[in-house]
Amino acid sequence: MKKLLAALLATSFATVPMAHAAPQDAPAPSATAAQPWMNARLSPDQRTALLLKRMTLDEKVALLHGPMAMPFGPTMPMPEGAIGSAGYIPGNARLGIPALQESDASLGVTNPMMVRGAKDMSTPLPSGLALAATFDPGIAAVGGAMLGDEARAKGLNVMLAGGVDLTRDPRNGRNFEYLGEDPLLAGVMAGASVRGIQSQGVISTVKHYVLNDQEHNRMTVDSVIGEAAARESDLLAFEIAIEQGHPGSVMCSYNKINGVYGCENDWTLNKVLKKDWGYRGFVMSDWGAVHGLDAFTAGLDQQSGEQLDKQVWFDKPLKAAVAAGAIPETRVDDAAGRVLHAMFAAGLFDKPEAKHAIDFAAHAKIAQNEEENAIVLLDNRKGLLPLAAIAKRIAVIGGHADAGVPAGMGSSQVTNPYHTGPFPVTSAPLGGEGMMAAWNNVVFDPSAPLAAIRDHAKGATVTFDTGAYPEAAAAAARNADVAIVFAYQPSGEGDDVPNMALPFGQDALIEAVAAANPNTIVVLETGNPVRMPWADKVGGVLEAWYGGAKGGEAIARVLFGDVNPSGRLPMSWPIDESQLPRPELPGWGAASDAPVTVDYNIEGADVGYRWYARQGTKPRYAFGHGLSYTSFRYSNLKLAGGKTITASFDVTNTGKAAGSDVPQAYLVSAAGSKTRRLIGFDKVALAPGETKHVTMTADPRLLASFDTGRHGWRIDAGNYQIAIGQDAETDDLTGSVRIDAALLKP
Ligand code: BGC
């Protein structure tokens, strides 16, 4: 792993090839006549078929359900054999089937309730939105490989990662775990992350399938949407992630889709995922998302976290249904076969458990590199950044910048806060009641921006004010050359934020500081876009997301110009809620078990920037937006048409600093119809004056409409116009090309 990471770090991140599930460090157990499926030279299909033939019904059913891997109330101790994590499916000693030890999640290996003891440490990566803001699948693959390595180091072999629900609402409490609003960007980044995880011999999921786009009333909310719109948006993100990442499992979601729960939805599971996409892995439920045995017939293969459901339907009731002939045993074979196939494909049979020490120093560098590529310079209107040497007195204010950088809350949270060690954290219970309360801690990963700023600001005086009282903060700002206000927004699993405002009076704090000193820079650490009523009054704004193990260092390096910011917004940044398809958060104020409907037909497939383009309105910052300390120019656009569009053009660094750009290609009209779709992006590192030639070929589905009548992606013949720009609103180069008619399989 060490060598792999060193090689990956040394390579251009945009072009890192990740081998899919290449078992490396242990010899395969040899096959015996008694266990021919142990022969690693056979394909996963062959091995699955050989093993299934030897299994009894009980043994097959045992693979189809499992408990949370933690003590659950006084009557349920830690399941025997579980090492402690989110979930556990016992193995089978007779047949040599390893247990599934399942852990959250995509931002680090978690340790819920510290079930593996207080000394168990993991590296917290920056949030998913931060990862998406890098626009760099190579970085996603490296982070994924790091997660896979840490999971294996602890004896875990399934990562409940790959969150790819689209940002349809900038109040979703879990957006921070996901990858933004665009299906291409989100799908590619999730796919790369999954590839990285599985390269370490660990299964990854993608989740939460599907249209799990708000947390409020997540157990009851019904996401209503037409088929074509779903296929072109949320489903497409999953489709791309699955094609590119080959996750062993797909986790279905809590919510309903068009009236039917995600884990018992024949349309999304059987028809779309398994039939149309030919998915070979298994579907596991989200924890507490199973409502009956119908789910099994509808395509759910495994009931996870079974203590949370009313019954363990996938055990005795399933066997009884098979005995009664209500469910054919072939369906049990199919489900168990899918679990086994994923295990063979990821190398779980061939790579015996290999607990090892974690190289935290190397992994911290991975987290830092990701964050340095993720920070978005939203505004630099006064040119205050990078901080010049004349900033002799710097007032750092607010956001617990003396403690660390905030992390998102919920099951994805790396729970080092309670320990000492490489990444101890300060934690403050945000409170609440019920299951999620234990996870609802605003945790600060202990990479304090204040200390990092002090390290960088050689010769300058750096003061800190907590920001608790705007008057005191303003006084500190008045005595400084530059004021840097840190403002954070906690967000987490289990509920949405009620509105887009910064909490804790931080708007008033920023206003007061900016009034005292116009040289004010705001560093946002949020899980979503927030209102910025003070935007015109401050000199510059950075979005630093939830920054992970080395967030403070990364922020300081961007502030001082050691790193030229290259992050780009993976979602549009609305001015306020009035610009949203649903200004009121659906169900806000309703009881938590009240049925709530969210009408996604309002925007349909026009999520985010496509919604603003359709409405003819402009958000505060466009999808793809992000400034740099240098400038870039595009030229020499050449287009080729036919089956799809290939665009090639030059990107030149026209400024004085080295930096990376993210050129983006958008389809702006298709055979006469106006549209706006990201069809390509790249991350290009350029020295001052340097030019690189970039080529992007569109996935033909991005040129198509989903035709429900003909059941496929329909491309109409005609002229297709595209624009190359630095964000979804700025068309620097345009051109058009002829595309042939086609009907692609769903
Ligand atoms: C979350 C999943 C998570 C699971 C196991 C659920 O509450 O929605 O994302 O993987 O718990 O912890």
Side-chain angles (χ1 to χ4, degrees):
M1 174 65 192
K2 228 176 181 175
K3 272 197 203 136
L4 170 73
L5 288 174
L8 292 176
L9 278 169
T11 327
S12 150
F13 283 110
T15 55
V16 172
M18 294 294 295
H20 172 53
Q24 318 148 10
D25 34 38
S30 55
T32 63
Q35 296 193 330
W37 53 86
M38 288 304 207
N39 181 353
R41 274 189 282 277
L42 299 177
S43 70
D45 278 320
Q46 291 169 314
R47 299 173 77 180
T48 301
L50 286 167
L51 178 46
L52 268 180
K53 267 196 265 169
R54 301 281 179 89
M55 294 176 76
T56 64
L57 179 67
D58 281 352
E59 285 172 331
K60 286 181 268 192
V61 169
L63 290 178
L64 306 184
H65 65 94
M68 289 177 86
M70 57 185 86
F72 202 76
T75 53
M76 288 189 233
M78 174 81 92
E80 206 187 314
I83 60 174
S85 59
Y88 175 64
I89 309 289
N92 181 322
R94 180 180 86 84
L95 300 166
I97 303 174
L100 295 180
Q101 308 273 3
E102 304 170 338
S103 169
D104 288 299
S106 27
L107 312 179
V109 180
T110 66
N111 184 359
M113 313 291 181
M114 286 184 290
V115 281
R116 292 190 302 278
K119 293 233 165 75
D120 181 83
M121 306 294 294
S122 307
T123 307
L125 287 172
S127 66
L129 281 180
L131 176 60
T134 69
F135 275 70
D136 189 337
I139 290 180
V142 171
M146 187 213 87
L147 291 173
D149 178 69
E150 293 202 3
R152 267 183 72 74
K154 297 167 193 291
L156 300 160
N157 56 14
V158 180
M159 285 299 283
L160 309 171
V164 68
D165 294 289
L166 294 186
T167 305
R168 281 181 182 265
D169 197 308
R171 294 162 293 197
N172 180 353
R174 277 188 110 167
N175 279 343
F176 78 92
E177 282 186 60
Y178 305 140
L179 298 158
E181 72 191 21
D182 180 74
L184 175 67
L185 177 67
V188 166
M189 298 300 282
S193 166
V194 167
R195 249 182 0 255
I197 292 171
Q198 297 198 154
S199 73
Q200 301 305 304
V202 170
I203 290 174
S204 177
T205 59
V206 290
K207 70 185 189 184
H208 309 87
Y209 186 71
V210 59
L211 288 146
N212 187 187
D213 298 341
Q214 80 166 42
E215 281 298 285
H216 191 62
N217 285 35
R218 66 177 176 166
M219 299 297 197
T220 53
V221 68
D222 184 9
S223 302
V224 172
I225 191 166
E227 172 165 3
R231 294 264 194 176
E232 292 170 19
S233 58
D234 293 63
L235 284 171
L236 185 56
F238 277 90
E239 192 177 359
I240 293 172
I242 290 168
E243 287 165 359
Q244 301 207 357
H246 304 286
S249 184
V250 170
M251 186 193 293
C252 52
S253 56
Y254 290 127
N255 56 290
K256 293 178 179 169
I257 302 132
N258 295 330
V260 183
Y261 281 113
C263 289
E264 54 188 51
N265 197 305
D266 179 66
W267 173 54
T268 56
L269 299 177
N270 278 336
K271 299 210 167 68
V272 176
L273 176 70
K274 291 183 175 176
K275 181 154 177 289
D276 289 348
W277 300 349
Y279 181 62
R280 196 63 195 86
F282 67 105
V283 178
M284 69 164 77
S285 70
D286 201 342
W287 274 230
V290 187
H291 303 270
L293 199 48
D294 287 352
F296 191 63
T297 313
L300 176 65
D301 300 304
Q302 194 179 69
Q303 181 178 5
S304 325
E306 63 194 16
Q307 304 99 320
L308 297 176
D309 293 320
K310 290 208 177 91
Q311 269 194 60
V312 186
W313 282 286
F314 282 35
D315 189 10
K316 288 195 185 104
L318 174 56
K319 287 182 209 163
V322 172
I327 290 180
E329 191 167 343
T330 48
R331 168 66 187 118
V332 175
D333 289 351
D334 169 54
R338 286 171 176 276
V339 176
L340 293 171
H341 189 277
M343 294 173 75
F344 283 122
L348 264 53
F349 281 81
D350 309 320
K351 273 185 101 173
E353 187 191 300
K355 287 195 184 162
H356 57 266
I358 292 172
D359 187 345
F360 285 113
H363 291 188
K365 285 199 183 116
I366 290 172
Q368 182 170 341
N369 182 62
E370 184 176 318
E371 174 68 355
E372 289 179 358
N373 275 274
I375 292 173
V376 182
L377 178 56
L378 290 173
D379 194 343
N380 197 13
R381 65 182 63 204
K382 293 191 74 186
L384 297 175
L385 294 173
L387 286 173
I390 51 161
K392 290 279 175 244
R393 295 167 307 161
I394 301 173
V396 176
I397 294 163
H400 303 289
D402 54 335
V405 292
M409 301 179 292
S411 61
S412 68
Q413 191 175 73
V414 173
T415 40
N416 297 337
Y418 313 98
H419 333 142
T420 53
F423 306 120
V425 250
T426 310
S427 112
L430 199 65
E433 292 179 346
M435 263 279 302
M436 295 311 297
W439 275 283
N440 279 350
N441 286 314
V442 186
V443 150
F444 285 81
D445 290 317
S447 170
L450 176 63
I453 288 170
R454 286 199 164 123
D455 276 356
H456 279 76
K458 300 274 179 274
T461 309
V462 179
T463 60
F464 179 67
D465 181 275
T466 62
Y469 296 97
E471 300 79 0
R478 215 168 282 123
N479 290 325
D481 301 312
V482 173
I484 307 174
V485 185
F486 284 79
Y488 76 106
Q489 175 207 42
S491 66
E493 181 177 339
D495 212 344
D496 301 318
V497 291
N499 59 44
M500 287 178 56
L502 277 171
F504 313 131
Q506 293 174 104
D507 283 331
L509 171 69
I510 297 169
E511 298 268 4
V513 172
N517 188 336
N519 291 344
T520 291
I521 294 156
V522 176
V523 179
L524 293 171
E525 298 171 286
T526 67
N528 270 309
V530 290
R531 283 187 230 153
M532 297 167 56
W534 33 261
D536 297 340
K537 297 176 194 152
V538 300
V541 187
L542 285 180
E543 170 58 86
W545 315 107
Y546 299 149
K550 290 284 168 191
E553 280 80 351
I555 291 168
R557 277 164 56 80
V558 169
L559 288 171
F560 286 88
D562 304 71
V563 168
N564 190 347
S566 63
R568 300 289 186 265
L569 288 178
M571 87 295 259
S572 311
W573 192 292
I575 295 170
D576 59 31
E577 300 83 337
S578 70
Q579 292 191 305
L580 301 175
R582 286 161 296 281
E584 296 281 327
L585 191 74
W588 190 255
S592 63
D593 55 353
V596 167
T597 297
V598 51
D599 181 6
Y600 290 133
N601 284 318
I602 296 173
E603 74 276 34
D606 291 329
V607 181
Y609 60 88
R610 296 178 57 178
W611 166 255
Y612 295 103
R614 186 171 107 185
Q615 297 295 100
T617 51
K618 280 185 189 295
R620 184 180 296 285
Y621 302 115
F623 171 88
H625 168 76
L627 304 175
S628 165
Y629 298 151
T630 188
S631 49
F632 302 100
R633 191 188 59 228
Y634 307 140
S635 56
N636 294 330
L637 175 63
K638 292 198 179 55
L639 296 177
K643 288 190 166 33
T644 187
I645 298 175
T646 296
S648 65
F649 54 98
D650 292 334
V651 187
T652 304
N653 181 344
T654 51
K656 293 200 175 67
S660 292
D661 187 31
V662 181
Q664 299 152 44
Y666 292 90
L667 180 68
V668 295
S669 80
S673 335
K674 228 174 129 206
T675 185
R676 179 67 58 173
R677 290 184 99 168
L678 182 73
I679 57 170
F681 61 88
D682 205 347
K683 186 140 190 177
V684 192
L686 294 162
E690 189 182 359
T691 296
K692 278 187 185 155
H693 193 66
V694 168
T695 301
M696 298 173 186
T697 298
D699 181 323
R701 286 170 298 196
L702 298 171
L703 311 181
S705 313
F706 194 87
D707 188 326
T708 49
R710 296 169 70 195
H711 198 60
W713 295 95
R714 196 193 70 241
I715 302 183
D716 296 326
N719 273 328
Y720 283 63
Q721 207 194 359
I722 77 153
I724 307 294
Q726 295 190 15
D727 61 42
E729 281 174 0
T730 321
D731 300 346
D732 290 328
L733 302 175
T734 53
S736 71
V737 75
R738 182 118 199 119
I739 295 292
D740 307 331
L743 184 71
L744 311 171
K745 72 163 208 56

